[in-house]
């Protein structure tokens, strides 16, 4: 029975913290590997200090658990492959992580499986890309993405004109067409080993133009039924073609011409699903646990329109954000505050989030305004 298993999680950031909190409701036994003061350290059953990208650390950790999952894709895959051979249940499976970890292989996977995504080319170095650009002057504008290790907008450069060439990254990368985006959407989908599939309605993500970070998320996403259905079909197709087990976040672009393109996938819970904690019957974190333990997947319907606003470190912020600094904000009714317990704030660092429920999108957007106003007065000196 997987439910009696010792569960291991690679990475102890905020996603793991919320996963542990969901696990605590069911009295599950959860062990985490990350650094000593990571956000999950205060809520997991056991913390093992180690480096999730190191073969030996992951192998040693994995050998002490029955089921292994993760909160970040940048982990040592060779160790996971060895652990699978030794009988540890790993969800998502190592061979699917190998594809997802590398944005180049991800794009190749979309192409091979006729999943719509923008056109791309792969390059090994900056020099190779510059040589290509010197012969293909018409290729601008484009987006360059580091194949490995990028997240939260890091490792992504929007090259709109030759004036932006100085931004070009020197690493194995892909370049793809710059999409004229109408909306950025995400569909979070889960599949358990018994092959039950369940997905949330699409969420609408709005990004900060400067930092490329998710600013707010709203469900329902205000797209028409046909697009909603297409987005769900794409997510199901990806999960099936990939042989994926666990929880998968599928980020998509709805273009100005009404086309749906897959941007990228993440083999874990996602910032665009935080509002499922209070907004949906089953949170994305509980759903991940249900999926990896081969339990029946939970109901993904939303109780009401729901939104999420990230609390991000501002310029000048230093220490952690304290609840005592947020007392005025807590006077706003119908909000749910989550702080991640990070010891230091830095500009652009995700420090927490707030979920709001409302009767309408307008009500949620009005609440976002109020919250932004309060947050702008708060600093974490
Ligand atoms: P990350 O792994 O950091 O989330 P993404 O691939 O999601 O990186 O890119 C971050 C953001 O950059 C996207 O949410 C989108 O706003 C913008 N972006 C990425 N790819 C494209 C593209 N091909 N065309 C236009 N904008 C893009």
């Amino acid at each position: 029975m997987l439910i009696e298993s010792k569960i291991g999680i690679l990475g102890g950031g905020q996603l793991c913290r919320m996963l542990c909190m969901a696990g605590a409701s069911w009295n599950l036994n959860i062990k985490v590997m990350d650094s000593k003061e990571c956000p999950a350290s205060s809520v997991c059953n056991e913390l093992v200090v180690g480096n999730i990208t190191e073969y030996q650390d992951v192998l040693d950790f994995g050998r002490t658990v029955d089921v292994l999952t993760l909160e970040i894709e940048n982990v040592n895959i060779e160790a996971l492959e060895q652990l699978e051979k030794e009988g540890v249940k790993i969800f998502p499976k190592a061979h699917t992580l190998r594809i997802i970890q590398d944005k180049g292989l991800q794009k190749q996977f979309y192409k091979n499986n006729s999943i719509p995504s923008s056109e791309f080319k792969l390059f090994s170095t900056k020099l190779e890309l510059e040589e290509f650009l010197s012969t293909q002057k018409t290729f601008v504008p484009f987006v360059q993405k580091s194949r490995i290790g990028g997240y939260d907008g890091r490792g992504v450069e929007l090259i709109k004109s030759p004036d932006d060439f100085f931004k070009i990254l020197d690493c194995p990368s892909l370049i793809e067409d710059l999409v004229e985006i109408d909306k950025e959407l995400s569909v979070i989908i889960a599949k358990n080993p018994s092959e039950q599939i369940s997905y949330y309605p699409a969420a609408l993500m709005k990004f900060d133009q400067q930092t490329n970070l998710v600013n707010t998320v709203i469900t329902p996403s205000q797209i028409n039924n046909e697009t909603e259905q297409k987005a769900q079909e794409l997510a199901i197709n990806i999960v099936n073609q990939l042989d994926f087990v666990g929880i998968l976040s599928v980020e998509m672009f709805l273009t100005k011409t009404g086309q749906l393109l897959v941007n990228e996938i993440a083999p874990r819970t996602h910032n665009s699903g935080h509002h499922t904690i209070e907004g949906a019957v089953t949170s994305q974190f509980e759903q991940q646990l249900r999926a990896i333990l081969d339990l029946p997947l939970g109901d993904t319907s939303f109780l009401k329109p729901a939104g999420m606003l990230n609390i991000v470190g501002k310029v000048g912020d230093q220490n952690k954000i304290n609840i005592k600094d947020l007392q005025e904000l807590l006077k706003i009714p119908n909000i749910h505050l989550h702080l991640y317990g990070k010891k230091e704030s830095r500009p652009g660092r995700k420090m927490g989030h707030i979920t709001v429920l409302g009767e309408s999108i307008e009500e949620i957007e009005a609440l976002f305004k109020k919250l932004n106003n309060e947050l702008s007065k708060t600093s974490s000196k």
Side-chain angles (χ1 to χ4, degrees):
M1 263 301 264
L2 286 175
I3 188 87
E4 283 152 17
S5 310
K6 180 167 269 193
I7 301 166
I9 306 175
L10 295 171
Q14 65 264 21
L15 299 177
C16 175
R17 179 182 168 92
M18 291 182 267
L19 192 55
C20 291
M21 288 162 82
S25 297
W26 288 357
N27 200 30
L28 298 179
N29 187 349
I30 298 185
K31 193 169 171 177
V32 171
M33 187 162 81
D34 204 328
S35 56
K36 196 160 168 268
E37 294 196 322
C38 65
S41 60
S42 56
V43 293
C44 63
N45 297 85
E46 190 183 342
L47 177 77
V48 174
V49 175
N51 184 339
I52 58 172
T53 62
E54 287 292 328
Y55 180 82
Q56 201 57 46
D57 284 4
V58 174
L59 192 66
D60 293 344
F61 178 74
R63 283 178 171 156
T64 66
V65 301
D66 307 301
V67 183
L68 190 58
T69 191
L70 44 78
E71 64 127 36
I72 182 167
E73 47 277 27
N74 193 16
V75 295
N76 189 291
I77 307 263
E78 288 74 23
L80 298 185
E81 284 166 345
Q82 177 57 31
L83 288 164
E84 272 177 350
K85 283 192 203 136
E86 294 178 15
V88 181
K89 301 255 182 262
I90 302 179
F91 302 125
K93 298 174 201 170
H95 75 99
T96 62
L97 288 172
R98 206 174 259 297
I99 297 174
I100 297 172
Q101 209 179 58
D102 179 339
K103 286 188 179 180
L105 293 181
Q106 255 191 59
K107 293 291 278 190
Q108 202 65 55
F109 163 79
Y110 303 141
K111 197 169 184 177
N112 296 345
N113 291 283
S114 306
I115 292 160
S117 185
S118 55
E119 286 299 319
F120 71 102
K121 284 194 187 317
L122 302 179
F123 295 91
S124 307
T125 59
K126 181 178 180 179
L127 189 65
E128 206 181 279
L129 173 53
E130 282 171 345
E131 277 167 6
F132 170 78
L133 291 171
S134 65
T135 57
Q136 303 276 329
K137 295 211 165 47
T138 53
F139 214 81
V140 181
F142 64 87
V143 180
Q144 186 197 18
K145 297 185 177 180
S146 159
R147 288 183 64 163
I148 311 268
Y151 68 100
D152 281 352
R154 272 174 261 185
V156 175
E157 293 297 343
L158 270 58
I159 310 292
K160 294 194 169 153
S161 75
D163 291 346
D164 290 332
F165 281 1
F166 74 94
K167 294 188 198 163
I168 289 176
L169 306 164
D170 193 9
C171 58
S173 69
L174 65 94
I175 64 170
E176 62 180 18
D177 294 345
L178 183 89
V179 176
E180 287 209 66
I181 302 171
D182 179 25
K183 291 190 165 91
E184 297 204 37
L185 305 168
S186 108
V187 173
I188 297 178
I189 181 163
K191 187 173 175 186
N192 65 18
S194 302
E195 308 212 338
Q196 187 193 356
I197 289 182
S198 178
Y199 46 83
Y200 291 89
L204 174 70
M205 299 181 281
K206 290 198 180 155
F207 284 76
D208 181 301
Q209 294 307 312
Q210 242 95 61
T211 60
N212 256 351
L213 272 178
V214 179
N215 201 350
T216 61
V217 173
I218 294 188
T219 301
S221 61
Q222 305 141 74
I223 52 177
N224 62 37
N225 289 345
E226 194 192 334
T227 311
E228 176 85 42
Q229 203 183 329
K230 268 197 200 147
Q232 290 162 0
E233 282 165 7
L234 271 179
I236 295 170
N237 197 3
I238 292 174
V239 155
N240 285 332
Q241 302 293 342
L242 252 185
D243 179 30
F244 189 86
V245 175
I247 194 153
L248 184 81
S249 315
V250 184
E251 288 183 49
M252 302 178 200
F253 298 139
L254 179 62
T255 69
K256 295 210 162 135
T257 54
Q259 212 191 347
L260 262 184
L261 299 176
V262 172
N263 172 28
E264 63 167 353
I265 52 178
R268 49 168 171 80
T269 54
H270 198 252
N271 198 175
S272 62
H274 290 354
H275 59 329
T276 59
I277 297 179
E278 292 90 4
V281 179
T282 309
S283 79
Q284 60 168 349
F285 302 100
E286 181 180 319
Q287 195 76 314
Q288 180 171 2
L289 293 169
R290 285 174 178 253
I292 64 166
L293 296 175
D294 205 11
L295 295 168
L297 297 178
D299 183 349
T300 53
S301 27
F302 272 72
L303 310 168
K304 277 183 174 192
M308 189 276 332
L309 177 87
N310 273 335
I311 303 176
V312 178
K314 300 191 293 285
V315 178
D317 284 355
Q318 285 160 8
N319 302 325
K320 66 178 178 187
I321 293 185
N322 269 312
I323 193 78
K324 71 172 169 44
D325 303 323
L326 297 171
Q327 293 176 68
E328 281 304 308
L329 182 141
L330 287 173
K331 289 182 186 160
I332 302 173
N334 220 355
I335 66 157
H336 304 272
L337 173 67
H338 297 254
L339 294 179
Y340 303 151
K342 294 183 184 175
K343 304 281 177 233
E344 273 172 48
S345 175
R346 288 191 292 273
R349 191 172 197 206
K350 290 176 190 165
M351 303 303 289
H353 74 263
I354 301 169
T355 307
V356 301
L357 301 184
E359 297 307 323
S360 66
I361 305 289
E362 292 70 32
E363 192 184 332
I364 289 174
E365 280 177 343
L367 276 167
F368 283 163
K369 257 197 192 147
K370 270 195 195 166
L371 288 166
N372 270 327
N373 191 27
E374 273 310 322
L375 286 171
S376 67
K377 295 183 209 155
T378 316
S379 75
S380 68
K381 294 241 173 56

